[in-house]
Amino acid sequence: MEICDFWPDAKIPTVSGRPAITAASVFESDIDAEASIGVVSNFGAGRAGSFIVAALAIEKLRAAEIPNIRDLAVLVRNQRPGAIETFPQYVFSHIIPLTYSLKHVMSATLKAKVEKLISQLEQFAFEKMTEDDDDEEEDATD
């Protein structure tokens, strides 16, 4: 059982690296590949949806398939409206499988490129989340 208590509601984790590593590590455990998974959050939408999309992407990677995050997000949202509530959560659903993939990349050059991409995605998602927060504060004062 993994517990992620540092992922704020309707946002992405603000602790760089650790949340994606924690989420990706779930798939490195000795759990049965056919086992069911339970993802729980306050509303079972944004954070849960992000994690489920990432989990489906990792499942594809483990099957040596190329995951299409957009298609997976659409699939999840068709089954759970409201899944992945914000754009930063959508970006984070890319970061988790990329983090998982780092353990399986043999080329040092490719690994460095993936690490750089993860860093850039995290920075972009954090900036977008901050912009969204600022917009919400402005709307509240208008």
Side-chain angles (χ1 to χ4, degrees), residues 39-107:
V39 180
V40 180
S41 67
N42 283 350
F43 301 109
R47 292 174 292 184
S50 299
F51 183 81
I52 291 168
V53 168
L56 292 170
I58 290 171
E59 188 175 276
K60 295 261 186 207
L61 289 171
R62 290 175 68 146
E65 297 175 29
I66 299 171
N68 183 320
I69 302 291
R70 182 193 171 283
D71 290 350
L72 295 173
V74 169
L75 174 75
V76 170
R77 284 183 63 97
N78 283 338
Q79 296 177 47
R80 175 57 170 107
I84 306 180
E85 296 172 300
T86 66
F87 187 68
Q89 288 176 342
Y90 177 70
V91 173
F92 196 66
S93 68
H94 290 73
I95 293 170
I96 295 170
L98 284 168
T99 301
Y100 169 84
S101 73
L102 285 174
K103 294 183 179 182
H104 305 280
V105 173
M106 301 301 165
S107 163

Side-chain angles (χ1 to χ4, degrees), residues 2-3 29 60 62 67 71 92 113 119 125 128 139:
E2 296 283 336
I3 297 175
S29 67
K60 295 261 186 207
R62 290 175 68 146
D71 290 350
F92 196 66
K113 288 180 180 183
S119 176
K128 180 65 178 148
D139 289 345

Side-chain angles (χ1 to χ4, degrees), residues 2-67:
E2 296 283 336
I3 297 175
C4 179
D5 61 354
F6 44 80
W7 191 339
D9 191 29
K11 307 226 180 293
I12 62 170
T14 55
V15 181
S16 181
R18 179 177 167 224
I21 291 168
T22 299
S25 72
V26 170
F27 300 94
E28 295 296 333
S29 67
D30 292 332
I31 60 172
D32 178 6
E34 300 299 318
S36 298
I37 185 171
V39 180
V40 180
S41 67
N42 283 350
F43 301 109
R47 292 174 292 184
S50 299
F51 183 81
I52 291 168
V53 168
L56 292 170
I58 290 171
E59 188 175 276
K60 295 261 186 207
L61 289 171
R62 290 175 68 146
E65 297 175 29
I66 299 171

